[in-house]
Amino acid sequence: MSTAHPATASPPCVAVVTSTGLAVPGLTLPDELLGTVRDGGFDPVTGLVGRDLRHKDRASRLALRAAAPALRDAGLLDGDGYTGPGDTTAVVVSTNVGILENVCSFADTIARDTVLGLSPLGLPQTSSNVIAGSVAMAHGLRGPNVTLCNGPTSGLDALYWARALIVTGRAETAVVIGVEPAGDIVTKLLGTPALDGAVALVLESAAGAAERGATVRATVAGCARAADLAGAVARAGGLTPDLWLTEAADDPAGPRANAVLDPAAALGAASGALGLLQAAAAVAHLDEHGRHTVLATCGGPEDDGVAAVFLTGPHHTP
């Protein structure tokens, strides 16, 4: 006689952050988004040159300069190239104006010289996915390749989709990048000086990170998008944050938090990079406060939605 044993449910897949990288003028490490002051920092004049960046648009160059230190910090990049599983590593990019200058330049050329004046070398730069493609090709990342260009929530939406790719088993690792290049056309469109930089996070499955002995910096505990702030926070898990990273500190529907900060306030209009700058700042905070919970939110009443992401420290207890 045999005895039936109940099926044991597999533990849910969890997405964790194992590193961050910046290519933001004047900044070196993400803790500077929280107020730490250092001399030097990234300089686009000297940092965006090199044979590996030839024939690439400015947004792609910035993204590559942010992705490399993030991959290196995660232990996934050495002198021979990417050391992780290329077939299961995704690239998710958030940018709202990343190719605007390129498209306008091509339009001007067509108006002046017709299509005969166009250079085939520059044509890929008019595709919004050129940034994600450039990062993937540079490091041999052959997993899902996604670009989001959907307004103020775009950066946190990119984090949402990277997490989704990991927890559903579509990817083992994801390089998530928020990038916006500055320029006269961008400034004219936004009506204000804009960020000229990029930020990258490496997400992995918790099991994969543990298997290779990677340091877990934060856990992506919940992500959601809703019509308003209260709805987004509730759907993301409704945790009580120790730190709230937001542009909407005066929103009466905001959660109670011990501290509220806009880490990108001094960087110019961050647009599609905002949410990932917030996430990088959250990781820097959790490096020092491993039991804390950080909430990042983007979007507001004048936008088409609000995105919310909860990140918890490696020593957080639910």
Side-chain angles (χ1 to χ4, degrees):
M1 179 178 178
S2 62
T3 303
H5 294 276
T8 301
S10 300
C13 184
V14 176
V16 297
V17 180
T18 54
S19 70
T20 60
L22 289 181
V24 175
L27 302 186
T28 304
L29 297 172
D31 62 352
E32 292 169 86
L33 294 166
L34 299 172
T36 299
V37 178
R38 294 185 181 88
D39 293 331
F42 180 73
D43 181 0
V45 175
T46 58
L48 296 182
V49 296
R51 293 187 61 183
D52 59 323
L53 301 183
R54 290 177 63 186
H55 306 304
K56 288 184 170 57
D57 62 291
R58 189 174 187 84
S60 293
R61 286 183 283 153
L62 286 164
L64 286 163
R65 286 298 184 255
L71 290 170
R72 194 174 298 112
D73 184 49
L76 292 170
L77 189 65
D78 62 19
D80 296 323
Y82 185 64
T83 61
D87 289 337
T88 57
T89 299
V91 180
V92 184
V93 168
S94 168
T95 184
N96 289 322
V97 296
I99 63 165
L100 179 62
E101 298 265 352
N102 311 336
V103 172
C104 290
S105 176
F106 264 62
D108 289 343
T109 299
I110 292 172
R112 185 180 62 249
D113 304 321
T114 75
V115 294
L116 298 177
L118 296 178
S119 167
L121 290 176
L123 189 58
Q125 299 175 11
T126 61
S127 166
S128 60
N129 207 51
V130 66
I131 306 165
S134 294
V135 173
M137 288 187 288
H139 299 293
L141 312 181
R142 298 176 293 275
N145 194 277
V146 183
T147 297
L148 284 80
C149 314
N150 61 320
T153 65
S154 188
L156 293 183
D157 291 340
L159 203 59
Y160 170 93
W161 284 109
R163 175 180 183 252
L165 289 170
I166 290 172
V167 301
T168 58
R170 292 291 305 280
E172 179 67 27
T173 305
V175 183
V176 196
I177 301 168
V179 56
E180 297 293 9
D184 294 339
I185 295 174
V186 171
T187 301
K188 183 176 180 180
L189 174 69
L190 299 179
T192 183
L195 171 74
D196 187 33
V199 53
L201 278 73
V202 174
L203 267 62
E204 303 182 55
S205 69
E211 183 177 349
R212 69 181 191 86
T215 299
V216 172
R217 309 275 294 280
T219 297
V220 186
C223 304
R225 198 174 192 277
D228 56 34
L229 176 61
V233 171
R235 290 180 62 183
L239 305 179
T240 301
D242 298 283
L243 174 64
W244 179 22
L245 302 174
T246 180
E247 289 184 304
D250 58 349
D251 192 319
R256 300 178 65 179
N258 293 332
V260 181
L261 178 68
D262 179 3
L267 302 178
S271 194
L274 174 59
L276 290 165
L277 286 166
Q278 292 174 340
V283 173
H285 176 84
L286 295 171
D287 283 343
E288 296 295 324
H289 307 280
R291 297 183 183 277
H292 279 192
T293 297
V294 180
L295 169 65
T297 63
C298 290
E302 69 281 3
D303 305 311
D304 66 346
V306 176
V309 171
F310 281 105
L311 296 106
T312 55
H315 307 302
H316 172 76
T317 302

